[in-house]
Amino acid sequence: MNQDKRKQRDFEDDDSEEEQEIEQPINVHNKGDMEEEINLDFVFLDPNQKQFHSIKTFINGYLEGISFKSSELANIICDQVELGTMVGQEDEDNVFGFTTILNIGEIKSNAIGEILHYVDTKSQQHNKQHQQLQHILQTPRKVGLFINERILNLAPQLVPILHNQLKEDINWLQKEDPKSSLTNLDYLLVITKCFKDIDQQKQTQKKSTSDLNDLIFQKFEDYVFLQKSLLSFRFLSEGSKQTQQVSDFMKTEQDGQICYRLIYLIQLKDYLAQIANIEQYVQQ
């Protein structure tokens, strides 16, 4: 497998640059409380081991503070060059966000096993469609773990590009290596989180109903993907004694909001089709 797929793909496309670059202005405050605009050039990159520490920071809180082999998972993400997209800056090892899909039936990893155990345990407790999820997971080679993480203030305009780059990865891989286990996935399993205003939570409890519009999504595209999900369930985040270390991901309350963990399953074809709707969502 070519270890530089993005450059190879761009070389084949006469209209592409070697790496796609996006210049994004960011406003910051100086000591005088005056706004200053800084222009940053973002590039979309293949995974590599130089990004290990940055990726590990993102996934430390992936299971809400439950101890799991996050270093092992970070290594897997960095090593899977053929499918995965990072957003960062030229000649920098740190990344600001990434998307990747891992075939849970092909990767022999304790970290993947721990994640699936977490999903199964929570599904038994909170998922009315637990048997359906169990049935699908009985054919793990058809299920991809979709990991989608980024800094909280990443420019929304970059989000559709991240997902489109992943879509291009899939198309490229289907042409370059059609026998790859990553080209025959049917489903994506997603672990993420959402919030609900405390006042809204009280109203929901009174009317005993639940609606996606009552939720606040840390990653807005989750709302778009959930429209086509096969099943989904959520539960209150348990938090962790480690909240000060990875506070953004594991807070149980934030500015008057209650934090939920959200797990859902979506067909790969529906995920790919919904990417266009993410672009429309950003433009609204």
Side-chain angles (χ1 to χ4, degrees):
M1 177 60 60
N2 189 299
Q3 293 298 299
D4 207 351
K5 70 170 187 301
R6 203 163 306 280
K7 288 185 178 181
Q8 177 181 333
R9 195 170 67 217
D10 291 342
F11 178 78
E12 293 170 352
D13 184 352
D14 293 336
D15 296 325
S16 297
E17 297 296 330
E18 190 172 88
E19 291 174 337
Q20 185 169 2
E21 295 189 13
I22 301 292
E23 185 177 273
Q24 177 63 40
I26 294 180
N27 293 321
V28 298
H29 293 276
N30 60 25
K31 292 183 179 179
D33 208 24
M34 298 288 289
E35 283 195 359
E36 179 182 355
E37 187 173 87
I38 299 175
N39 289 317
L40 296 177
D41 291 326
F42 293 102
V43 294
F44 294 86
L45 308 163
D46 290 338
N48 66 73
Q49 275 295 330
K50 293 180 180 180
Q51 303 156 346
F52 170 82
H53 293 291
S54 188
I55 297 302
K56 188 174 186 297
T57 299
F58 277 112
I59 61 175
N60 271 338
Y62 190 59
L63 299 185
E64 63 175 336
I66 295 174
S67 178
F68 81 109
K69 292 178 172 58
S70 57
S71 292
E72 186 177 303
L73 183 62
N75 270 318
I76 292 169
I77 293 170
C78 291
D79 286 342
Q80 186 177 273
V81 179
E82 61 266 39
L83 182 56
T85 296
M86 312 285 159
V87 58
Q89 288 184 271
E90 193 78 50
D91 301 323
E92 294 288 337
D93 295 336
N94 290 331
V95 300
F96 299 110
F98 71 95
T99 58
T100 192
I101 298 171
L102 307 176
N103 187 313
I104 65 172
E106 291 293 326
I107 297 174
K108 306 303 179 185
S109 158
N110 290 325
I112 297 296
E114 290 168 333
I115 292 169
L116 293 178
H117 175 73
Y118 172 86
V119 170
D120 181 67
T121 300
K122 296 300 184 181
S123 180
Q124 289 183 53
Q125 297 171 350
H126 304 285
N127 182 16
K128 294 180 180 179
Q129 297 170 281
H130 176 64
Q131 289 185 341
Q132 182 183 359
L133 179 60
Q134 269 192 322
H135 176 72
I136 291 173
L137 293 180
Q138 285 175 357
T139 312
R141 287 180 175 81
K142 292 292 185 181
V143 182
L145 180 65
F146 177 63
I147 305 179
N148 173 35
E149 300 297 335
R150 61 178 180 268
I151 59 174
L152 293 177
N153 60 348
L154 186 71
Q157 295 86 349
L158 299 178
V159 175
I161 302 174
L162 259 176
H163 291 283
N164 270 312
Q165 289 287 308
L166 193 65
K167 182 178 180 179
E168 289 184 16
D169 282 359
I170 293 171
N171 293 336
W172 179 86
L173 189 58
Q174 287 173 339
K175 182 176 70 172
E176 293 291 320
D177 188 9
K179 294 183 179 179
S180 167
S181 63
L182 292 168
T183 64
N184 295 299
L185 296 171
D186 290 334
Y187 306 97
L188 298 182
L189 177 66
V190 186
I191 303 173
T192 184
K193 72 174 182 178
C194 60
F195 295 88
K196 180 179 282 192
D197 287 333
I198 291 177
D199 291 339
Q200 185 66 55
Q201 167 73 1
K202 293 176 181 178
Q203 294 175 14
T204 302
Q205 289 174 342
K206 288 180 181 180
K207 62 185 180 181
S208 299
T209 60
S210 176
D211 189 270
L212 290 181
N213 293 320
D214 294 338
L215 300 176
I216 302 165
F217 295 92
Q218 187 179 57
K219 295 183 283 288
F220 64 86
E221 65 267 37
D222 283 326
Y223 175 82
V224 177
F225 297 144
L226 279 165
Q227 312 299 317
K228 296 293 184 180
S229 64
L230 288 176
L231 59 88
S232 66
F233 60 98
R234 69 175 188 269
F235 46 92
L236 285 172
S237 174
E238 296 175 4
S240 167
K241 294 180 181 178
Q242 303 174 14
T243 49
Q244 291 183 347
Q245 297 176 1
V246 278
S247 56
D248 282 339
F249 204 93
M250 294 191 297
K251 282 182 180 177
T252 54
E253 293 188 13
Q254 181 170 304
D255 300 329
Q257 297 171 349
I258 298 174
C259 180
Y260 288 90
R261 291 297 163 139
L262 174 66
I263 298 176
Y264 63 93
L265 193 75
I266 184 172
Q267 288 187 284
L268 176 61
K269 65 179 181 63
D270 289 332
Y271 161 73
L272 297 174
Q274 287 292 87
I275 291 175
N277 291 328
I278 298 177
E279 297 171 346
Q280 295 176 8
Y281 193 95
V282 171
Q283 294 169 1
Q284 290 178 355

